[in-house]
Amino acid sequence: MTASQDTQENTLSLPVLAAGALGVVFGDIGTSPLYTLKTVLSLSGEGPTPEVILGLLSLLFWTMVMITSVKYALFAMRIDNHGEGGILALMSLLVRKDKRRPLVLFAGLFGAALIYGDGAITPAISVLSALEGLTIILPESQPWILPGAVVILLALFAIQPLGTAKIGKVFGPIMALWFAVIAGLGIWGIVQHPAVLVALNPMYGIDFLFSNGIVSFLVLGGVFLCVTGAEALYADMGHFGKKPIWLAWFAIVFPSLLLNYAGQAALLLSGADVTQNIFFRLCPPVLQIPLVILATLATIIASQAIISGAFSMTRQAIQLGWLPRLRVKQTTEESYGQIYIGAINWLLMVVTIFLAVFFKSSDKLAAAYGIAVSLTMIMTSGLLYVAMHEVWRWNRLTSLLIAGVFFVIDLCFLVANMSKVFEGGYMPLILALVVYGVMLLWHRGVEAASRAVHEKFISVDDFLAMLEEKAIPRVPGTAVFLTREKEGTPPVMQWQVKRNGSLHGHVLSLTIAIDNVPRINADERLTVTQLAPGFWHALAVYGFMERPNIPALLRYPQLDNCELDTEDVTYYLGHENIIPREGSGGLPAWQRVIFSWMARNGMHVTDYYYLPSDRVVEIGRRIPV
């Protein structure tokens, strides 16, 4: 655990952090009882027998045990990248020493792209499933369910620019109430048919799998819905730390989910009508309207957590160089994790509302749900194998046996979910492929542009010799030249001298580098080297959870001896115009056009690095790629 997490857990008590995790980490998996058993029953056929009901409950229980409790809580969360978790953080940890690992990069990037597919479906299916509870109380409300869901989703995305710092404080208490209510409803159901608890015996699930033919196989796709939010335990580890998430899961969330699923199954054993949502049938009629309201609030919180997670993952991808710079708005000074990215918010809103309108009900949306998550989990299992061997130093056989068990389980769920592809499962897959393609194209374009710039490499000694030979004057003032190159003369400096015929008396060549760790200690951030009188080079290293601030960087003590006038600095940037590369080796025309469009429409360097716009000079340059 990192020092920051230690401090956080010492400052705030473990129960307080665990309560906060209820609202951020467990919203998705916590609202799965709204639709999971209903979906499983529809896949298993009408009129399930007691053996089938007990078999389904057993599968739900042991799926949560093996995937959420064992794979994610007990294994994945022990492999962190300086306290940060999630598939991108794990990928970064494994490629830190060697970035040329195509399989590791593919698993991490495609797994991250798949999470966007999940992020678009989760709000739609959650809000629809909550509002559908009204049809039990007021059957005539059916035509208003979809419009109501659209209005709620529009409002949810519309408030994102305001930030969630204030309303986020009530997330934990509402979700705590939610888990208490679903646990209580579950207990009420179990009391009516206590024999349902025999389903904790895994043999009931195994018997079901081997005695119902193709039905058993298809049912696994529905069973998987009970763990669709498991990835959040790992991804949000950096916000709360391991212990609070463990406490919340094992003490509150897991028991509440188990009790509720058992209560629903007990009601079925008692002869309840399987054509209606069994979750809401658990509730006494007089309390059903309050339950619908609470369920709607819980699904909104679950959706908010998914949206916030998409923002955080996007920032990681930007910092690691896999997405173009997008405008990231910090919505509160108290928490670095409270951010807003407009482009991602509005794209998610369009896709989410389209999915809700296209599928019209949670039953049909369930057909599209699960494929993206199961693929992400397979990618995570593959990365866990590499981490067990390289980070924990386990031998290959042990790593293969343990990660292989997770991989086989994930593969079974994936194959079962593949039957949903033509029923709507293609939607999140298409979205993931688009995001993955954008990542690859952007990264490839940046590498091509860097190679083109490096081809005009001039050493500092040769550049200074040229200045003396041509008697280029050094004029008063301080200039900072931003460059990707860690060695040699910044290309923008060369162009500035050619155009203006002079160079400032005090010059700093600055390179910003992003390391594959979340954060860099302040005393390790900046390395300054004097290359010649009045000429320094600085390498500033940031983690993928940090955003560089160049004016603040210039106040670091390492620059005290550089005689830089920080109150009168001119920043020189290169404005890149992408052009076709002559001969072979360039990007295909369609890739170059898309890369050029992304480069033009990304967040401006001035804003991204917090540079004062009235002190920035941009010099155009043509970059053949």
Side-chain angles (χ1 to χ4, degrees):
M1 185 178 294
T2 63
S4 63
Q5 282 178 300
D6 283 331
T7 303
Q8 185 185 42
E9 290 193 11
N10 288 333
T11 304
L12 298 173
S13 66
L14 199 59
V16 171
L17 287 171
L22 288 178
V24 176
V25 179
F26 298 106
D28 189 0
I29 196 171
T31 53
S32 59
L34 283 166
Y35 48 80
T36 297
L37 192 57
K38 179 179 67 171
T39 302
V40 171
L41 288 171
S42 67
L43 293 172
S44 64
E46 296 184 5
T49 64
E51 291 76 16
V52 169
I53 294 171
L54 293 175
L56 294 176
L57 178 60
S58 183
L59 287 175
L60 290 170
F61 169 70
W62 286 103
T63 297
M64 289 191 291
V65 168
M66 292 303 299
I67 291 183
T68 312
S69 298
V70 178
K71 176 184 173 181
Y72 281 99
L74 299 183
F75 278 88
M77 289 182 64
R78 295 181 184 274
I79 305 176
D80 63 278
N81 189 344
H82 294 74
E84 291 293 332
I87 197 165
L88 278 182
L90 180 57
M91 179 198 78
S92 301
L93 175 67
L94 299 178
V95 300
R96 189 176 185 192
K97 294 182 180 179
D98 182 8
K99 296 183 179 180
R100 294 171 296 181
R101 306 185 71 174
L103 290 179
V104 171
L105 287 172
F106 169 76
L109 294 175
F110 192 56
L114 287 161
I115 292 175
Y116 285 98
D118 175 39
I121 295 179
T122 296
I125 191 173
S126 298
V127 173
L128 275 171
S129 61
L131 292 182
E132 284 167 355
L134 283 174
T135 60
I136 296 177
I137 312 160
L138 301 169
E140 60 273 18
S141 66
Q142 179 63 48
W144 300 99
I145 298 301
L146 180 57
V150 170
V151 169
I152 290 174
L153 291 171
L154 280 171
L156 175 64
F157 285 99
I159 66 170
Q160 295 304 311
L162 305 177
T164 58
K166 293 182 179 179
I167 62 174
K169 294 178 181 178
V170 302
F171 282 5
I174 290 176
M175 290 307 296
L177 175 61
W178 167 256
F179 286 116
V181 168
I182 67 172
L185 292 175
I187 293 172
W188 182 82
I190 293 170
V191 167
Q192 299 182 63
H193 211 298
V196 73
L197 294 179
V198 300
L200 299 183
N201 183 341
M203 293 308 300
Y204 283 91
I206 294 172
D207 288 343
F208 175 83
L209 287 176
F210 288 98
S211 61
N212 288 271
I214 191 65
V215 172
S216 300
F217 175 75
L218 295 176
V219 161
L220 285 179
V223 169
F224 185 76
L225 296 178
C226 74
V227 291
T228 49
E231 187 82 21
L233 274 73
Y234 190 31
D236 290 321
M237 186 171 62
H239 294 291
F240 298 95
K242 299 181 181 72
K243 292 180 181 178
I245 293 178
W246 284 338
L247 176 62
W249 171 251
F250 288 109
I252 300 174
V253 181
F254 181 43
S256 299
L257 293 175
L258 173 60
L259 288 170
N260 192 264
Y261 284 126
Q264 291 186 49
L267 209 58
L268 290 172
L269 289 174
S270 301
D273 183 4
V274 297
T275 62
Q276 294 184 329
N277 192 322
I278 197 66
F279 173 84
F280 289 102
R281 281 295 178 191
L282 267 179
C283 183
V286 69
L287 296 177
Q288 283 181 347
I289 289 183
L291 179 61
V292 170
I293 295 172
L294 179 60
T296 303
L297 291 174
T299 56
I300 290 173
I301 292 171
S303 303
Q304 177 60 60
I306 289 291
I307 296 168
S308 299
F311 293 160
S312 297
M313 188 171 65
T314 300
R315 178 170 58 185
Q316 290 185 27
I318 292 170
Q319 294 292 72
L320 290 169
W322 291 101
L323 283 177
R325 286 186 294 266
L326 299 174
R327 186 172 298 277
V328 179
K329 175 185 175 183
Q330 200 74 35
T331 58
T332 176
E333 297 180 358
E334 286 76 19
S335 174
Y336 183 75
Q338 291 284 345
I339 60 173
Y340 167 72
I341 303 178
I344 301 301
N345 184 62
W346 303 124
L347 283 173
L348 269 180
M349 183 192 76
V350 170
V351 176
T352 299
I353 293 177
F354 168 78
L355 290 172
V357 173
F358 182 81
F359 287 99
K360 295 183 174 59
S361 70
S362 62
D363 289 339
K364 294 178 180 178
L365 259 174
Y369 204 30
I371 293 181
V373 187
S374 57
L375 266 172
T376 300
M377 289 185 175
I378 278 191
M379 303 300 172
T380 302
S381 294
L383 295 179
L384 284 178
Y385 161 73
V386 180
M388 289 173 184
H389 177 61
E390 297 183 2
V391 178
W392 286 352
R393 304 294 181 184
W394 289 2
N395 62 59
R396 289 188 181 276
L397 181 60
T398 303
S399 302
L400 183 61
L401 286 175
I402 295 177
V405 170
F406 299 143
F407 188 87
V408 168
I409 293 173
D410 293 337
L411 184 62
C412 289
F413 283 116
L414 174 63
V415 174
N417 275 305
M418 292 306 289
S419 64
K420 304 177 180 179
V421 169
F422 297 108
E423 299 176 15
Y426 57 86
M427 290 287 190
L429 294 181
I430 290 174
L431 181 61
L433 287 172
V434 170
V435 173
Y436 180 64
V438 168
M439 288 180 172
L440 287 184
L441 198 153
W442 175 256
H443 192 70
R444 189 177 181 191
V446 169
E447 287 188 332
S450 297
R451 285 195 302 269
V453 171
H454 190 70
E455 288 173 358
K456 299 180 180 180
F457 176 86
I458 298 178
S459 70
V460 173
D461 291 339
D462 290 343
F463 180 73
L464 293 175
M466 183 270 291
L467 292 183
E468 292 187 9
E469 179 183 341
K470 296 185 177 182
I472 301 294
R474 303 290 292 270
V475 298
T478 297
V480 174
F481 294 89
L482 269 66
T483 177
R484 295 191 183 99
E485 304 298 319
K486 297 181 182 179
E487 298 178 353
T489 307
V492 69
M493 184 187 296
Q494 301 170 38
W495 297 321
Q496 192 272 339
V497 170
K498 288 180 181 179
R499 291 191 176 193
N500 297 329
S502 63
L503 185 65
H504 290 71
H506 296 89
V507 172
L508 178 68
S509 167
L510 177 60
T511 300
I512 303 292
I514 305 298
D515 202 354
N516 287 317
V517 296
R519 295 173 181 83
I520 300 293
N521 292 331
D523 57 350
E524 299 174 353
R525 185 177 311 285
L526 191 62
T527 303
V528 181
T529 305
Q530 185 167 10
L531 305 177
F535 193 160
W536 294 267
H537 177 263
L539 173 63
V541 183
Y542 289 83
F544 60 77
M545 292 296 290
E546 300 176 298
R547 180 174 162 191
N549 184 324
I550 291 179
L553 187 71
L554 296 185
R555 295 192 290 269
Y556 272 54
Q558 292 93 321
L559 291 168
D560 288 347
N561 297 325
C562 298
E563 303 174 14
L564 302 177
D565 184 0
T566 57
E567 298 301 320
D568 186 24
V569 176
T570 302
Y571 300 93
Y572 286 88
L573 314 174
H575 180 76
E576 300 175 346
N577 295 309
I578 307 300
I579 62 174
R581 186 183 184 91
E582 295 181 1
S584 60
L587 294 178
W590 67 273
Q591 292 186 19
R592 185 175 59 254
V593 169
I594 296 175
F595 172 71
S596 178
W597 180 85
M598 288 192 292
R600 289 195 309 270
N601 289 278
M603 186 179 183
H604 198 276
V605 176
T606 299
D607 298 325
Y608 189 75
Y609 290 131
Y610 298 100
L611 299 177
S613 57
D614 58 343
R615 297 185 185 179
V616 173
V617 175
E618 288 190 69
I619 299 179
R621 50 181 177 174
R622 294 161 65 86
I623 306 295
V625 298

